[in-house]
Amino acid sequence: MMIRALWPALASLGAGLVLFATAAGASPAIAVPVGLAGAAELVWALAVLRAGRLVAPRAAIAGGAIGIAGSGFLLLTGPLALIPFLALFVFHWSIAIAAVLEVRRLRAASAVANGDAPSEQGIAVAGVSAIAPVRRRRAGAFTIALVVEAMLVAAIATPALAASEAGEFAVPHGTLHSGH
């Protein structure tokens, strides 16, 4: 079950970092709410990683939609460049989709647990665990999923961080800060 929650948690971490970089280069009127949104992303990601499942999936759906709308607003008003916007869009869209799937899975699993006859769609959404014994995943599968998903988040977030105002003024790697 943790593998299913891993991508939304890592995407939320990536979104939080991009939001922090955006806040760092914005005016205080923009920086405060954007920084708070970044902090909320990080808190939710850590809660998901700790729980091993999506926490508050309905709120995550709303948060994903608000994140997409908010990043679109920031793109149109200037504090957010196109590449960070695209990264935030991908992160928030994927979080919202994962949360929708989790809500549907929980609804189907609840119907099965209550003795309701599930539809074929309900069985498909609930997954094998609703109709067959739960299969233990090997640690290797989790490790592979973690590495691949972390690399994907890094590949999306790094260009977005570099394209932020904070990233534009960062000292290039390999450059000395002083005359030492």
Side-chain angles (χ1 to χ4, degrees):
M1 195 185 262
M2 178 60 189
I3 289 178
R4 188 169 49 236
L6 190 57
W7 171 255
L10 293 175
S12 188
L13 285 171
L17 292 175
V18 173
L19 289 171
F20 282 142
T22 302
S27 68
I30 299 292
V32 171
V34 171
L36 289 173
E41 294 274 4
L42 295 180
V43 167
W44 185 79
L46 293 174
V48 168
L49 290 173
R50 174 132 170 76
R53 60 176 178 75
L54 262 69
V55 175
R58 291 188 200 300
I61 296 167
I66 291 167
I68 290 169
S71 59
F73 173 77
L74 292 174
L75 175 68
L76 294 176
T77 58
L80 191 64
L82 180 62
I83 292 174
F85 165 77
L86 293 174
L88 288 171
F89 180 84
V90 168
F91 288 145
H92 288 126
W93 178 79
S94 64
I95 291 166
I97 295 301
V100 165
L101 294 175
E102 182 68 6
V103 166
R104 291 184 69 196
R105 188 192 67 76
L106 290 172
R107 188 177 299 142
S110 175
V112 170
N114 290 334
D116 297 341
S119 64
E120 287 182 33
Q121 181 183 15
I123 291 173
V125 171
V128 177
S129 63
I131 57 175
V134 176
R135 192 173 59 119
R136 291 195 151 255
R137 298 203 188 260
R138 295 189 315 247
F142 176 78
T143 303
I144 290 169
L146 176 63
V147 169
V148 169
E149 291 176 9
M151 288 173 27
L152 187 57
V153 167
I156 295 169
T158 301
L161 294 171
S164 70
E165 188 173 332
E168 288 178 18
F169 292 109
V171 175
H173 293 293
T175 303
L176 297 176
H177 295 277
S178 64
H180 294 71

